[in-house]
């Protein structure tokens, strides 16, 4: 399978064909991040709707599918951010959007958890969603190689005893 981050077609089991096409056609990482976060938002809203208006059949399956789909979208957006940072691409807009949306998503997820409506059906997936959203909301880390380079550069800036800069 080829990564969506490289602009290639990827059919994830939680994306429709149209959504996968839009991600593939997006020209920048920021556009792909925005799309994944839109899809995550959509899945969370559909989850809430399904919780309030249970379908006659496959209710439990639908709740778990929607929560897993939400997590997949958030994880993919987070992966694109990390990949963009590692490749030194401008993903600032994606980082900012993730920060604001993750905060919003966490409030909704924690509310769902606190209310506990039918929690026995989807609790493990909800816990994964909360954890994944918290992970995604943390400040993106610099790639290890760059971080090491920065530490080395900082060490070499130290002036040897008896020398002035």
């Amino acid at each position: 399978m080829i990564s969506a981050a490289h602009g290639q077609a990827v059919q994830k089991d939680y994306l429709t064909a149209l959504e996968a096409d839009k991600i593939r056609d997006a020209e920048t990482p920021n556009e792909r991040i925005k799309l994944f976060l839109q899809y995550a938002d959509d899945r969370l809203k559909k989850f809430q709707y399904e919780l309030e208006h249970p379908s006659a059949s496959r209710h439990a399956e639908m709740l778990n599918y929607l929560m897993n789909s939400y997590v997949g979208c958030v994880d993919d957006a987070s992966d694109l951010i990390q990949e963009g940072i590692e490749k030194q691409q401008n993903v600032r807009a994606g980082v900012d959007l993730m920060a604001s949306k993750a905060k919003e998503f966490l409030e909704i997820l924690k509310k769902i958890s606190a209310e506990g409506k039918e929690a026995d059906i989807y609790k493990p997936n909800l816990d994964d969603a909360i954890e994944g959203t918290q992970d995604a909301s943390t400040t993106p880390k610099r790639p290890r190689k760059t971080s090491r380079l920065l530490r080395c550069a900082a060490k070499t800036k130290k002036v040897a005893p008896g020398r002035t800069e």
Side-chain angles (χ1 to χ4, degrees):
M1 209 185 274
I2 299 172
S3 170
H6 295 102
Q8 301 298 319
V10 172
Q11 183 61 43
K12 307 245 181 187
D13 60 348
Y14 52 84
L15 294 177
T16 66
L18 180 61
E19 290 169 339
D21 287 346
K22 285 183 180 182
I23 288 170
R24 185 194 66 235
D25 294 342
E27 293 185 15
T28 68
N30 283 323
E31 290 173 7
R32 287 187 287 280
I33 292 164
K34 180 180 177 183
L35 286 169
F36 274 120
L37 292 175
Q38 285 175 350
Y39 302 151
D41 188 44
D42 176 65
R43 300 317 187 268
L44 201 49
K45 287 177 181 169
K46 286 179 179 177
F47 179 90
Q48 291 174 293
Y49 185 86
E50 179 67 26
L51 206 52
E52 295 300 319
H53 307 92
S55 57
S57 63
R58 301 174 54 183
H59 175 64
E61 185 179 325
M62 183 57 72
L63 287 173
N64 284 300
Y65 168 77
L66 289 168
M67 192 56 67
N68 283 328
S69 296
Y70 161 81
V71 172
C73 291
V74 169
D75 285 348
D76 282 345
S78 182
D79 289 348
L80 286 171
I81 289 171
Q82 191 61 39
E83 185 178 309
I85 290 169
E86 289 170 3
K87 291 182 176 182
Q88 298 181 358
Q89 296 171 321
N90 180 2
V91 290
R92 174 55 47 201
V95 170
D96 292 344
L97 182 60
M98 175 64 86
S100 67
K101 294 303 280 183
K103 183 178 178 183
E104 177 185 320
F105 293 157
L106 270 174
E107 288 175 16
I108 294 167
L109 293 168
K110 288 180 178 181
K111 181 181 177 196
I112 292 169
S113 180
E115 291 173 357
K117 186 174 181 179
E118 300 182 80
D120 56 315
I121 296 173
Y122 56 83
K123 179 84 168 109
N125 290 323
L126 177 61
D127 292 343
D128 287 346
I130 291 171
E131 182 180 337
T133 304
Q134 288 171 330
D135 289 348
S137 70
T138 59
T139 305
K141 297 176 180 92
R142 290 188 174 162
R144 288 185 195 135
K145 186 175 181 181
T146 304
S147 297
R148 269 182 282 182
L149 290 173
L150 291 175
R151 283 195 302 275
C152 289
K155 287 179 184 176
T156 59
K157 273 203 146 204
K158 292 181 183 175
V159 179
R163 288 186 56 198
T164 58
E165 211 170 322

